[in-house]
Amino acid sequence: MSNKVIAIVVDGMRFDKACEALGFLQHLVETNQASLYKVKSELPSLSRPLYEVLLTGTPVSENSITSNQAVQLSTEKSLFHLTKENGLRNGTASYFWVSELYNRAPFHFIEDREQEDTSKPIQYGKFYWDDDYPDSHVLMDAEALRRKHDPHFLYIHPMGVDAKGEAFGSESKEYREQILKIGSLLAQLLPIWIKEGYHILITSDHGMSETGNHGGITDGERDVPLFIISPKVEPGVYSEVVPQLAFAPLVCELLNIEPSNKMISYQLPGLKGNITI
């Protein structure tokens, strides 16, 4: 069984709208080829703090990334650190805040746009900084990294859904259309990745309110989807709400590496082998 993972974090994609609009993924769920969970995001429901949550499995009270204005390197051990320490390759196509968390802060827009340095936590990276940088380009940046460097852990982070949500609100035509676009792009790439044996996770950092903001405690701001395509996870729709802190140790389980000692222990419903992560 492969130990390669592709994780797609669609920024700002709330649970209910993703369930309505991601038709191909829902087809995979309906035909017992994927599983679907609801994840409750950590607080605050903001991007930079939740990138850190997803990638280190630590809450903001421990990791100090408490706001979007926390422009600093993380002091925690991320999935990038862990893959590197275990002799695995990693790569990402992401918003530049991810680079600032793990490679260098502040971001240098010329020098840090493309990164290839196996001595750093993020070994191979392509980063963007305009919120309206096309999701199609982010996904193709990631696919180019995958084909060139064959990473064991590939982290993909498109921003278009968040940008439309903040501009027009979660009930808008524009927000739904952007999720539909992501669904169409994934429908083109997922069959390739599935055929090549990847474990695939699709989730979000936070949701979006009807008025186009996030950071608070409402379900619309906190509830996000987690789709999993993996032979290690039983297909189906699960009702148990998954804590967002469980994402990082789940990736470690799929990569077959030890999680950090700060990651939580959590029994993911449907994980085969009755293994606690």
Side-chain angles (χ1 to χ4, degrees), residues 3-217:
N3 69 331
K4 292 182 180 179
V5 172
I6 295 176
I8 304 105
V9 175
V10 181
D11 205 292
M13 183 171 67
R14 57 186 274 169
F15 176 81
D16 53 357
K17 304 305 179 185
C19 290
E20 293 171 8
L22 294 177
F24 179 68
L25 273 166
Q26 290 286 30
H27 163 72
L28 295 178
V29 173
E30 285 188 357
T31 55
N32 293 315
Q33 299 177 70
S35 53
L36 170 61
Y37 303 81
K38 179 188 288 185
V39 171
K40 181 72 71 174
S41 84
E42 284 288 295
L43 292 171
S45 52
L46 294 168
S47 292
R48 195 187 299 252
L50 297 183
Y51 304 163
E52 175 79 343
V53 167
L54 287 164
L55 287 161
T56 70
T58 60
V60 299
S61 54
E62 290 185 19
N63 62 43
S64 300
I65 306 299
T66 59
S67 75
N68 284 342
Q69 287 69 45
V71 183
Q72 63 196 60
L73 278 174
S74 169
T75 59
E76 305 298 331
K77 189 166 285 191
S78 73
L79 292 168
F80 298 114
H81 293 85
L82 291 169
T83 47
K84 179 176 178 291
E85 289 176 8
N86 282 274
L88 304 180
R89 295 177 301 280
N90 67 59
T92 184
S94 294
Y95 195 61
F96 74 104
W97 289 359
V98 175
S99 177
E100 287 185 326
L101 281 169
Y102 307 112
N103 273 13
R104 179 164 71 167
F107 187 83
H108 191 289
F109 291 91
I110 297 174
E111 295 177 7
D112 295 345
R113 166 75 171 99
E114 298 205 10
Q115 301 179 37
E116 291 187 17
D117 188 341
T118 56
S119 71
K120 291 184 176 179
I122 299 174
Q123 297 167 318
Y124 304 106
K126 293 178 182 286
F127 298 96
Y128 64 98
W129 50 88
D130 287 330
D131 289 9
D132 58 356
Y133 184 73
D135 290 346
S136 58
H137 291 35
V138 178
L139 285 163
M140 288 307 106
D141 286 345
E143 180 64 357
L145 283 173
R146 187 187 73 84
R147 295 187 181 204
K148 182 176 181 181
H149 300 292
D150 190 25
H152 298 84
F153 175 56
L154 179 60
Y155 184 78
I156 308 174
H157 172 229
M159 184 69 79
V161 171
D162 182 74
K164 295 295 187 186
E166 290 182 351
F168 301 102
S170 66
E171 303 309 302
S172 66
K173 174 187 176 186
E174 291 85 355
Y175 183 71
R176 179 182 171 84
E177 280 185 343
Q178 197 64 32
I179 299 175
L180 288 167
K181 286 181 182 178
I182 278 287
S184 175
L185 292 165
L186 290 174
Q188 297 169 63
L189 289 169
L190 286 173
I192 298 170
W193 299 339
I194 292 168
K195 186 176 180 180
E196 297 199 20
Y198 288 88
H199 305 283
I200 302 166
L201 309 175
I202 299 162
T203 189
S204 184
D205 50 349
H206 56 76
M208 186 67 58
S209 77
E210 292 79 359
T211 52
N213 46 46
H214 53 90
I217 66 170

Side-chain angles (χ1 to χ4, degrees), residues 258-272:
E258 286 293 318
S260 78
N261 58 14
K262 288 192 175 183
M263 292 179 184
I264 67 169
S265 177
Y266 173 75
Q267 181 61 45
L268 182 77
L271 187 65
K272 295 180 181 177

